[in-house]
Amino acid sequence: MDIYLTNNLTNKKERFIPKNDKSVGMYVCGPTVYDDPHIGNARPLVIFDILFKLLKDKFNTVTYVRNITDIDDKIIKSCKDQNISSKELTEKIIKSFLEDCSYLNCEDPTHQPKATEHIDLMIKMISELLTKGFAYENKKHVYFEVKKFSDYGKLSNKNLDDLIAGSRVQISENKKNSEDFVLWKPSNDDEPFWDSPWGKGRPGWHLECSAMSKKFLGDEFDIHGGGIDLIFPHHENEIAQSRCANETKTFASYWVHNAFITMSNEKMAKSQGNILKIKDFKKKISGEVVRLALMSAHYKQPLDWNDKLLNDCQSTLDKWYALNSENLEISNKISEEILKPLYEDLNTPGYIANLHKLYEDAKKGQNKELFISACKFVGLLDEDIQTWQNFKKNKASINEFEIKTKIELRNKARENKDYKEADKIRDELLDKGVLIEDKDGTTLWKFK
């Protein structure tokens, strides 16, 4: 049975044909470690973890690379806001990120490179782009000249003028053209820097992924993944600089992007004040509940996050764990027939439907081992039964007056665009078992 994936490069669902039928390479954009990961960041973690499992089941060797961006303008700003060093901040957030991955029961990727460990490769790639005439230097900045790459915009399926008009292209007098993007920029005295032929500075964000993917996967590889918000400009720029530096006709063959998570059908974003951090769930529910919730919608569709979704997933797993009271260790290979929904463009809702059918059979004493094995394949039923039973919902005592008071304070903070304070109040309520949702200009609340 063949695996099919929606390839954003062609806007079609295509049969997956790796460059080497025994070895597959996959690169997924990881976190920029300036703040604790939120539930929107968790979606690609789980989606590409499942794809990693599926690929390993079918091919002899799968190399999964997920980078960590530990130098970036957002990191520098966060360090200044908190008055801490870049090292202190990034180490703290990387630790939090890895703990979140473990909580969500995600396997470690094959390689997890940090940007700061590969600056020399980035400098080398910039030098190649300059030598080949695709980049230019001006006032210690180095820019990629977009007009030199005729295929620019093919991933976004838009022409250059439309892309520029609909994006937040950074304007600078140092550029030849507004659409050109930075490969290297000078650092201020109080910012991290590396020595380069163009002076002390740091690489552009887009370049980091091009250099690290080249190191671990080569000039061309099979799958590049990430959130849909990365298509432009990040992934578009990756393609341009990688193909020009490496002189190749392709970069990644298949581009796979997951859709957003929403709350009350609004995109989860700091500007909306509706961010839910992964760590906030740890005291309340098992990571497998969150994992199942993230699998409940097809990766290409928006997923609306709410307490009903979590409660339904909790109830489902309660039933499933009740069948695994013996803590059976299952290692049987799953048939392609059961895996068929995953082969069809990672149709996780279809696979969950299969699990429900297998559960009904297992209740009748039929193929119990198969049901448990099929759950474990996608990272479920991996806790021992005692650990699962010990997960209780902890609702700290808080009365309605206190809840409404905090909501009023949060609304005032949002009006003043103090999103950091708004997030803090949301986190405080969540710690006490109160989930809030902003809907139609009103803030609703419920106990989890």
Side-chain angles (χ1 to χ4, degrees):
M1 187 179 293
D2 294 320
I3 295 174
Y4 284 81
L5 296 170
T6 295
N7 186 357
N8 281 108
L9 191 61
T10 59
N11 288 317
K12 295 177 181 177
K13 187 165 74 172
E14 299 178 348
R15 181 163 66 99
F16 174 63
I17 305 174
K19 294 181 178 298
N20 182 322
D21 60 4
K22 294 183 179 179
S23 177
V24 175
M26 178 171 71
Y27 186 94
V28 177
C29 288
T32 299
V33 288
Y34 70 100
D35 198 3
D36 291 311
H38 57 74
I39 202 67
N41 305 136
R43 195 175 195 190
L45 292 178
V46 171
I47 291 300
F48 291 103
D49 181 62
I50 293 171
L51 180 55
F52 183 35
K53 295 176 189 295
L54 186 68
L55 293 169
K56 286 194 301 176
D57 188 65
K58 188 169 181 64
F59 299 98
N60 291 343
T61 303
V62 181
T63 303
Y64 173 20
V65 183
R66 185 182 65 214
N67 73 295
I68 292 177
T69 296
D70 57 347
I71 179 62
D72 180 77
D73 290 349
K74 290 180 180 179
I75 293 171
I76 292 171
K77 181 181 184 304
S78 185
C79 289
K80 291 178 179 178
D81 290 344
Q82 299 180 54
N83 194 27
I84 59 176
S85 69
S86 176
K87 184 174 186 294
E88 183 180 353
L89 174 67
T90 56
E91 286 184 353
K92 180 180 74 170
I93 302 302
I94 289 171
K95 180 175 182 292
S96 177
F97 169 72
L98 296 177
E99 289 172 350
D100 290 345
C101 290
S102 177
Y103 169 70
L104 294 168
N105 201 22
C106 293
E107 292 185 54
D108 292 335
T110 317
H111 302 286
Q112 195 157 228
K114 297 177 185 176
T116 55
E117 296 172 349
H118 299 87
I119 303 295
D120 57 332
L121 299 180
M122 299 172 202
I123 291 174
K124 182 180 179 182
M125 184 171 278
I126 294 170
S127 298
E128 290 173 348
L129 288 167
L130 283 165
T131 299
K132 294 171 181 176
F134 293 105
Y136 58 90
E137 179 188 0
N138 188 19
K139 296 180 181 178
K140 298 184 178 181
H141 291 75
V142 183
Y143 293 97
F144 184 92
E145 191 167 359
V146 169
K147 289 179 180 176
K148 294 287 185 71
F149 181 59
S150 60
D151 282 347
Y152 195 85
K154 284 197 172 181
L155 178 64
S156 314
N157 197 29
K158 293 182 179 180
N159 63 45
L160 186 57
D161 290 338
D162 289 342
L163 286 171
I164 295 169
S167 70
R168 299 176 182 176
V169 173
Q170 187 177 2
I171 304 301
S172 171
E173 62 182 14
N174 298 320
K175 296 182 182 182
K176 287 183 181 179
N177 313 290
S178 62
E179 67 270 18
D180 297 346
F181 58 88
V182 69
L183 300 171
W184 188 266
K185 62 177 72 175
S187 295
N188 295 326
D189 292 339
D190 59 345
E191 296 174 347
F193 68 86
W194 289 263
D195 291 319
S196 80
W198 318 286
K200 293 180 177 180
R202 59 186 187 274
W205 172 44
H206 312 300
L207 187 80
E208 297 176 2
C209 288
S210 285
M212 289 185 282
S213 64
K214 177 182 174 70
K215 174 180 178 179
F216 292 101
L217 298 174
D219 293 350
E220 300 173 282
F221 55 93
D222 297 304
I223 300 170
H224 197 314
I228 197 170
D229 55 322
L230 297 180
I231 292 178
F232 184 83
H234 185 50
H235 288 167
E236 199 75 72
N237 292 351
E238 273 190 72
I239 292 171
Q241 62 203 6
S242 292
R243 282 186 52 191
C244 292
N246 302 329
E247 297 183 343
T248 58
K249 291 185 178 180
T250 62
F251 175 41
S253 301
Y254 300 83
W255 289 82
V256 182
H257 297 94
N258 63 274
F260 293 123
I261 285 182
T262 60
M263 288 189 69
S264 301
N265 297 312
E266 289 186 356
K267 177 189 171 185
M268 190 174 289
K270 282 188 175 294
S271 59
Q272 297 291 337
N274 61 356
I275 291 293
L276 292 176
K277 294 181 178 178
I278 301 171
K279 68 178 184 179
D280 295 331
F281 293 90
K282 291 179 180 177
K283 294 179 182 179
K284 310 297 179 184
I285 53 177
S286 165
E288 287 192 14
V289 174
V290 178
R291 185 180 179 93
L292 181 59
L294 291 165
M295 293 167 54
S296 65
H298 193 279
Y299 76 91
K300 286 180 57 187
Q301 302 300 320
L303 170 61
D304 201 53
W305 197 259
N306 54 71
D307 57 341
K308 182 181 183 302
L309 172 64
L310 290 175
N311 288 337
D312 288 346
C313 291
Q314 175 78 46
S315 298
T316 294
L317 285 169
D318 279 335
K319 291 189 302 182
W320 291 358
Y321 264 100
L323 271 182
N324 193 28
S325 58
E326 303 166 48
N327 286 323
L328 297 175
E329 289 295 327
I330 305 299
S331 58
N332 297 342
K333 188 173 176 66
I334 310 299
S335 71
E336 288 188 339
E337 187 59 35
I338 292 172
L339 293 175
K340 186 175 181 180
L342 298 183
Y343 275 72
E344 287 291 330
D345 200 16
L346 283 186
N347 180 4
T348 51
Y351 189 76
I352 292 170
N354 277 357
L355 293 181
H356 282 294
K357 292 175 185 176
L358 290 172
Y359 167 74
E360 293 301 322
D361 291 340
K363 276 201 308 182
K364 301 170 186 174
Q366 301 171 13
N367 297 321
K368 181 177 179 181
E369 293 82 2
L370 177 59
F371 163 68
I372 295 169
S373 182
C375 287
K376 287 180 176 291
F377 185 87
V378 288
L380 303 173
L381 299 193
D382 271 346
E383 295 180 359
D384 65 80
I385 192 65
Q386 191 59 52
T387 301
W388 178 262
Q389 291 173 346
N390 287 341
F391 246 115
K392 304 295 181 184
K393 294 182 180 179
N394 299 316
K395 294 180 183 176
S397 59
I398 183 171
N399 60 45
E400 185 173 342
F401 174 77
E402 292 173 312
I403 294 170
K404 289 183 176 180
T405 299
K406 284 186 174 293
I407 287 174
E408 287 178 9
L409 291 172
R410 176 176 172 272
N411 288 340
K412 288 180 181 177
R414 293 179 71 194
E415 289 174 7
N416 295 330
K417 299 189 183 301
D418 187 354
Y419 299 120
K420 184 176 181 180
E421 178 65 18
D423 285 348
K424 179 183 175 184
I425 295 170
R426 176 186 283 277
D427 291 346
E428 289 172 354
L429 287 168
L430 193 61
D431 283 341
K432 294 184 178 294
V434 180
L435 181 67
I436 60 176
E437 294 186 38
D438 300 305
K439 188 172 184 179
D440 300 328
T442 303
T443 301
L444 308 175
W445 64 271
K446 295 179 181 178
F447 278 116
K448 289 177 58 63

